[in-house]
Amino acid sequence: MKPIPIRHMRFLTALLSTLLLLAGPVFAFPVLSAAPAAASTTDGAADDDVTITLDEVTPWVDEEGTLTVRGHVSNTTKKPIENPSLRLEMSTRTLDSESRLSSWKKSQARHRTIADLEDDGPEARKKAEKDGGEDESSPGTSVDASFDDRIDPGASAEFTVTVPADDLGLKKSSPVSSWGPRGLAVQLGDESGLRASEIGFTTWYPDPKFDQTKVSLLAPVTLPGHTEGGLIDPDRLDKAIAEGGSLATIGKLLEKKEVGLAIDPRVIASFEAAVAEPPDADGEAPEETEEPSDKDGGQTRTPQVPAAENDEGDVSAAELEAEADQRKRLGSWYRDFVSAAQKHTIIALPFGDPDLSALRGSRIEHLSTYAQKQRGLVKDVFPEARTDIAWPVAGSATKNGLRALEKTGNSAAIISDEQQPSITGIHDDAHSQTTITDDGESTIDTLVTDSKLTDLSAEAIASDHPASELSELIAESAAIQSEAPYRTRRLLVPLPRAAASEGWEQTVEALNSAPWIDPTGLDELLDSPSESRGLLQSQSDAPHIRKKAVRSLAETRAGQAEFNSVFTDREGADIRLDRELLSCTSAAWTLGRNANICADAAREQSRKLMDSLHLRKGSSVLLVTGEKTTIPVTIVNDSPAEATLRIRMKPATPQLRAQTTETVKVPAAETMRVDVPVEGLANADVPTTIEMVTADDVVLPKHESLMVRVRADWENIGTAVIGLALAAVFVIGLVKTIARGRPKIPEQQLADAMARAQTDENEKR
């Protein structure tokens, strides 16, 4: 192969360069065109993006209304935006179906500009006013922004767009055919092209005449979360009723009588316990307080300790006064809540609003039955409350599960329309029936939730800037109305099964204010005739409390069940345990790891409770053989309930004999000394285990070891030894004396003695 001449290579290089230069605009154009698609949403935006956030979108506009779109632009890039442009686009056709709404969200095709900063900004309006082209009494379209010709890096700028109904360019002559949702897109650009875009919706409503859609809202009244003993702490209740708290939000919803309430018995029991007067210093309840009932299943508050008369007495008195003030606040809110809630349709939830499907078939399945029985707590306060309506987690209903719910006294169940779909292709009435046996002979009433409105409501509530989501929610309801404008339908929309948040009131207000929506009480839906729907559809990917959490709760239940036999009121202890475990099976925990975290907290609390009853370790004991005596043992009860038990000592060797004590009762938060009868039998160092044993002969996990030194009676033995030693010395001396015999006297001495004796006798005479 011959080498290419250099002059030919130069020619080819020049030719290729020319072609690339000519093709440059062709390749560059698609790249620039792709920029708007990348900038069409702010969800999950990177830290170096330009974003638009909508803070207000008028959800619907009538003939005399004004469309307002307000928000702010954030430039999180490292470069300024030079000569920014801002405009508001509107779809050219009505988005009167779910598919059209979804299509507009993905791609804002077929739209027109209804407001532009260049044409409708402050400078343009001033010029128009100067030229006499605008009447001050009827202001037209306006676009105002806090930026001029530059948005600096890291800066945020606000904007407001207002368009009167007359400037929207929408038809008024044919209201029924022209009304409906319209897509909106706020677009920010510069010399390089489109930099950011955010969408919303508004609904054109020129007063068309048709039947309204009846919407029933259901608001759960619950406070999910793990708490000791299963009841919500008074401090947490106090925060919940404060301004901005979840229960304060519920209080505001009570002003809307059409909203139904699904009340958790845990909330009722917690308030009943929190507002109850504490015992006096002697442990007796005040005389004016009514007799306590057993409706709370034995759950009682920890007795209040009176202020001590010492240097810190003032602090204790202040704490007691604060507790009294808290009880008054809680009592006042609770009474107002009960009074206002009486006017609403009430459904009683099982205790803790658990995921009943997750409990079925597990080792703690009995908690499902217990939780449903606790609905009577709500019935006691609200006699008209329905305790026969089950609410499985959305998507989790099965024939077997519904059949099990029917056997526990439920005549109806709330399920999703994804499980019981419409057979007409549109949104049908919520009240229906479904079969719960394979032969189709047995059925159960169903209240079918509208999943689209439910999901959009949840998104709006969860959003920090819900204007866009709320506008979509209203647009979706308008699209549903457009399906059958001359047919009245009844829809059910439950709010999220969690603690109420600030967005609840805003979402309910937005949905109920739409003129094509007729807010309807839940009782009307319950009394309406049932409509035909499709067969129950099973969902394999339905959310549940994870099996790991359920297994952990079952292990905790099994580990503490025997321990609870130590408490004088074992039934009350079991109730506290079951309520605590149920708080970790809440339907609110069906997503995320919250159930596992709660289960770990329940396990730790169980361990602390079992450790709260223990023995105070003592030093080794010296014991005399043959003597019957007692060894003192101190029991410490740091638990919140009275314990009944015996003390048993188990010597490791037979040189020590011990007896089990009599049964004693140790009050809560107190210590007690118990004497254990023992007898030393022989010299030895005897390791001994001290155990606490319940009346059912269950050995508690906490025990102590003690060294008992058994020794002979050294004092008596020492006295005997000394006595024997003295006796031995005396005997030995006596024997030696006898062995030596009587001593002899010298003859001279004997003669002298005899002479003196005779002399003394003569003198006496």
Side-chain angles (χ1 to χ4, degrees):
M1 182 177 178
K2 295 182 179 181
I4 299 175
I6 294 178
R7 64 177 180 271
H8 290 173
M9 292 183 64
R10 289 176 178 174
F11 173 76
L12 291 174
T13 302
L15 179 62
L16 289 173
S17 300
T18 303
L19 290 173
L20 287 173
L21 287 173
L22 293 173
V26 176
F27 290 108
F29 180 74
V31 173
L32 245 125
S33 301
S40 63
T41 178
T42 60
D43 291 339
D47 292 339
D48 57 351
D49 284 345
V50 179
T51 60
I52 296 176
T53 302
L54 300 184
D55 299 317
E56 180 185 351
V57 178
T58 305
W60 60 273
V61 182
D62 59 16
E63 297 180 52
E64 299 179 356
T66 299
L67 172 64
T68 300
V69 179
R70 181 174 56 84
H72 59 274
V73 178
S74 297
N75 179 16
T76 56
T77 67
K78 298 180 179 179
K79 296 181 179 180
I81 302 174
E82 303 286 355
N83 300 318
S85 63
L86 184 72
R87 61 182 179 270
L88 177 62
E89 308 284 349
M90 174 179 280
S91 63
T92 56
R93 67 175 181 176
T94 305
L95 310 178
D96 54 358
S97 67
E98 291 184 23
S99 60
R100 289 186 175 183
L101 287 169
S102 177
S103 177
W104 173 261
K105 289 183 66 175
K106 294 177 182 177
S107 175
Q108 291 80 60
R110 300 178 62 180
H111 59 268
R112 59 188 174 88
T113 302
I114 60 173
D116 188 276
L117 181 61
E118 183 177 355
D119 298 330
D120 304 300
E123 296 298 327
R125 296 199 305 273
K126 287 180 181 179
K127 182 179 180 181
E129 183 181 351
K130 184 178 181 180
D131 296 341
E134 184 174 317
D135 185 3
E136 294 183 7
S137 62
S138 56
T141 300
S142 66
V143 180
D144 294 293
S146 61
F147 56 84
D148 293 322
D149 56 355
R150 177 188 175 99
I151 303 177
D152 293 324
S156 181
E158 298 179 349
F159 65 85
T160 301
V161 181
T162 58
V163 185
D166 290 338
D167 293 351
L168 290 174
L170 301 175
K171 294 181 180 180
K172 303 178 183 179
S173 58
S174 302
V176 174
S177 60
S178 64
W179 93 283
R182 301 280 177 152
L184 301 172
V186 179
Q187 297 182 343
L188 178 78
D190 61 8
E191 295 176 351
S192 65
L194 182 65
R195 298 298 303 273
S197 177
E198 182 59 276
I199 65 170
F201 300 88
T202 192
T203 299
W204 174 237
Y205 189 78
D207 199 19
K209 305 300 181 183
F210 44 63
D211 295 335
Q212 293 176 309
T213 299
K214 295 181 179 294
V215 175
S216 299
L217 292 166
L218 181 61
V221 182
T222 183
L223 283 175
H226 172 265
T227 48
E228 180 182 344
L231 293 188
I232 305 164
D233 185 81
D235 290 340
R236 188 179 172 202
L237 292 176
D238 204 17
K239 292 180 181 178
I241 67 173
E243 184 64 29
S246 57
L247 292 180
T249 299
I250 292 295
K252 294 178 181 178
L253 290 182
L254 294 178
E255 299 173 4
K256 300 171 175 58
K257 298 180 181 179
E258 301 82 9
V259 177
L261 303 176
I263 300 180
D264 184 353
R266 184 168 176 256
V267 174
I268 299 296
S270 298
F271 268 100
E272 295 282 356
V275 302
E277 288 292 335
D280 58 21
D282 297 327
E284 298 292 336
E287 294 181 1
E288 65 274 16
T289 303
E290 296 180 359
E291 288 294 327
S293 65
D294 58 355
K295 292 176 183 177
D296 63 350
Q299 179 67 45
T300 57
R301 298 186 70 201
T302 304
Q304 302 292 331
V305 180
E309 295 181 1
N310 53 25
D311 295 338
E312 298 181 356
D314 294 339
V315 176
S316 298
E319 290 176 351
L320 289 177
E321 184 177 357
E323 290 181 0
D325 291 341
Q326 185 183 74
R327 280 196 301 275
K328 291 179 181 178
R329 286 194 302 272
L330 295 176
S332 177
W333 187 93
Y334 182 55
R335 287 189 296 271
D336 292 343
F337 167 75
V338 172
S339 176
Q342 299 280 6
K343 304 172 185 177
H344 295 251
T345 304
I346 295 176
I347 294 175
L349 295 171
F351 194 95
D353 188 23
D355 177 8
L356 299 179
S357 301
L359 295 176
R360 191 176 306 113
S362 69
R363 288 189 292 162
I364 52 175
E365 184 175 8
H366 69 281
L367 292 183
S368 172
T369 303
Y370 169 76
Q372 294 182 74
K373 288 182 178 179
Q374 291 290 290
R375 291 183 292 194
L377 293 173
V378 179
K379 187 79 170 177
D380 292 335
V381 179
F382 303 100
E384 300 298 323
R386 295 287 298 267
T387 58
D388 60 339
I389 300 178
W391 190 2
V393 173
S396 67
T398 62
K399 285 185 177 180
N400 290 337
L402 293 177
R403 192 162 58 247
L405 291 172
E406 186 188 40
K407 290 180 179 179
T408 53
N410 296 284
S411 62
I414 300 174
I415 63 176
S416 169
D417 60 2
E418 294 179 348
Q419 286 203 267
Q420 196 176 5
S422 167
I423 58 177
T424 62
I426 64 174
H427 295 248
D428 281 328
D429 283 359
H431 191 187
S432 185
Q433 290 185 336
T434 188
T435 58
I436 56 177
T437 55
D438 294 334
D439 57 13
E441 294 296 328
S442 298
T443 62
I444 189 172
D445 276 2
T446 53
L447 300 176
V448 184
T449 65
D450 189 288
S451 58
K452 192 67 177 180
L453 294 180
T454 300
D455 293 344
L456 288 173
S457 297
E459 290 177 14
I461 289 171
S463 176
D464 293 331
H465 300 277
S468 180
E469 288 81 0
L470 287 174
S471 69
E472 184 179 358
L473 171 64
I474 304 308
E476 176 65 28
S477 69
I480 294 173
Q481 175 66 34
S482 298
E483 294 175 341
Y486 299 104
R487 174 185 165 191
T488 299
R489 287 168 295 169
R490 298 175 176 85
L491 307 181
L492 175 61
V493 180
L495 297 176
R497 296 173 77 169
S501 62
E502 222 172 298
W504 283 33
E505 185 183 10
Q506 189 176 4
T507 301
V508 171
E509 181 63 34
L511 193 58
N512 284 354
S513 64
W516 55 90
I517 296 295
D518 179 17
T520 306
L522 195 62
D523 53 346
E524 184 174 334
L525 175 61
L526 293 168
D527 294 337
S528 66
S530 61
E531 299 288 339
S532 298
R533 278 183 170 264
L535 297 176
L536 185 68
Q537 307 292 318
S538 297
Q539 293 185 346
S540 58
D541 59 344
H544 284 296
I545 298 293
R546 297 181 180 178
K547 293 182 178 179
K548 177 183 177 182
V550 177
R551 284 196 300 268
S552 175
L553 295 172
E555 292 170 359
T556 300
R557 180 66 172 80
Q560 192 177 324
E562 285 189 343
F563 177 84
N564 282 351
S565 64
V566 73
F567 295 116
T568 306
D569 180 15
R570 177 173 183 173
E571 182 181 2
D574 288 341
I575 287 174
R576 288 191 294 272
L577 172 61
D578 289 344
R579 287 178 170 181
E580 184 172 349
L581 299 183
L582 280 171
S583 70
C584 294
T585 64
S586 171
W589 304 150
T590 52
L591 299 176
R593 297 180 56 253
N594 289 333
N596 291 329
I597 296 173
C598 188
D600 291 342
R603 181 188 293 271
E604 178 63 20
Q605 176 59 33
S606 176
R607 186 195 63 77
K608 286 175 58 179
L609 179 65
M610 289 191 284
D611 288 348
S612 66
L613 201 60
H614 59 275
L615 300 171
R616 185 172 293 165
K617 187 174 180 62
S619 57
S620 60
V621 176
L622 179 62
L623 191 64
V624 177
T625 58
E627 182 181 359
K628 293 183 178 181
T629 185
T630 58
I631 295 178
V633 175
T634 301
I635 305 172
V636 180
N637 182 11
D638 290 332
S639 75
E642 182 182 73
T644 302
L645 51 84
R646 295 170 290 143
I647 298 297
R648 183 167 65 194
M649 298 186 71
K650 298 176 65 176
T653 60
Q655 285 88 350
L656 177 67
R657 180 186 298 160
Q659 300 179 16
T660 303
T661 66
E662 297 289 332
T663 300
V664 296
K665 292 184 178 181
V666 186
E670 289 191 15
T671 61
M672 178 176 289
R673 170 175 164 168
V674 178
D675 294 326
V676 184
V678 295
E679 181 180 2
L681 303 180
N683 292 350
D685 290 342
V686 183
T688 305
T689 302
I690 308 175
E691 298 175 335
M692 293 177 288
V693 185
T694 71
D696 296 339
D697 210 32
V698 174
V699 180
L700 302 189
K702 298 293 288 185
H703 61 269
E704 287 293 346
S705 58
L706 183 68
M707 179 64 72
V708 180
R709 305 182 185 278
V710 183
R711 296 292 183 266
D713 191 346
W714 292 113
E715 183 178 349
N716 294 337
I717 294 175
T719 302
V721 168
I722 294 174
L724 289 174
L726 292 174
V729 171
F730 175 77
V731 170
I732 292 171
L734 181 61
V735 170
K736 287 184 177 181
T737 301
I738 295 174
R740 286 197 300 266
R742 188 173 181 178
K744 294 181 179 180
I745 300 174
E747 292 182 0
Q748 184 61 39
Q749 291 181 3
L750 181 58
D752 293 340
M754 291 296 293
R756 284 195 299 273
Q758 290 178 0
T759 303
D760 291 339
E761 178 137 5
N762 292 331
E763 288 178 357
K764 290 178 181 179
R765 291 177 180 174

